[in-house]
Amino acid sequence: MGAAQTRVRFLSEEYLAEMETLASANQKPIPHVNVRVQFRVTDTPESTVYFSLVIEKGTIVKVFRGRIEDSDLTITATYRDLVDFQSGELHAATAFVTGQFAVTGDKAKLLDLMIVLQSGAYHLFVADLWARTTW
């Protein structure tokens, strides 16, 4: 990593750029897992924030602030619930089943997303990133 690890603010451009680097964090390719996700995060310090996640062959290849065209899924969550998810306090399955993460779009793609979000590589990476994150 070279330079000292800097603190990043949750959902900032810098945070999302760090998320995008997960592609090089030992993610194993999963050929059939391809999904484009639009996140709508409410009640943030900046009002509502949109960010997008692109997964190709089971690997996160793009994460950016803003909207994505032709998303497979749109997930709406409160800032607090997303913070709890990223910190490991809220399990993805629980968030979806309870409606804390409201999903519209191709529900079959939700299974693809869950494969990635519940992988060991994702959890290790997010734990490292989270240790440097402020919110």
Side-chain angles (χ1 to χ4, degrees):
M1 290 209 175
Q5 292 185 348
T6 56
R7 307 285 293 168
V8 292
R9 186 176 42 84
F10 187 52
L11 298 184
S12 67
E13 297 281 353
E14 296 80 13
Y15 178 88
L16 297 175
E18 291 276 341
M19 287 291 296
E20 193 170 300
T21 67
L22 182 56
S24 62
N26 299 320
Q27 285 184 287
K28 292 190 182 352
I30 309 167
H32 70 280
V33 175
N34 301 291
V35 62
R36 298 165 60 86
V37 186
Q38 173 71 68
F39 285 87
R40 179 177 173 266
V41 187
T42 62
D43 303 326
T44 80
E46 304 171 57
S47 190
T48 298
V49 169
Y50 291 86
F51 75 95
S52 302
L53 175 70
V54 178
I55 297 168
E56 293 177 357
K57 297 180 181 169
T59 300
I60 295 170
V61 296
K62 191 163 182 74
V63 183
F64 60 94
R65 197 131 183 212
R67 298 175 193 239
I68 190 171
E69 292 199 28
D70 57 316
S71 64
D72 297 309
L73 296 170
T74 298
I75 297 173
T76 301
T78 66
Y79 185 76
R80 181 76 242 168
D81 286 342
L82 204 56
V83 165
D84 288 348
F85 169 70
Q86 288 299 100
S87 71
E89 293 178 31
L90 177 62
H91 191 271
T94 301
F96 290 117
V97 170
T98 62
Q100 287 171 276
F101 288 2
V103 180
T104 57
D106 183 351
K107 299 287 196 311
K109 291 289 187 176
L110 183 57
L111 295 175
D112 287 349
L113 178 62
M114 294 294 289
I115 289 169
V116 175
L117 295 183
Q118 295 186 347
S119 72
Y122 179 84
H123 285 291
L124 289 172
F125 177 82
V126 168
D128 175 64
L129 177 57
W130 195 252
R132 304 183 285 112
T133 300
T134 61
W135 61 93

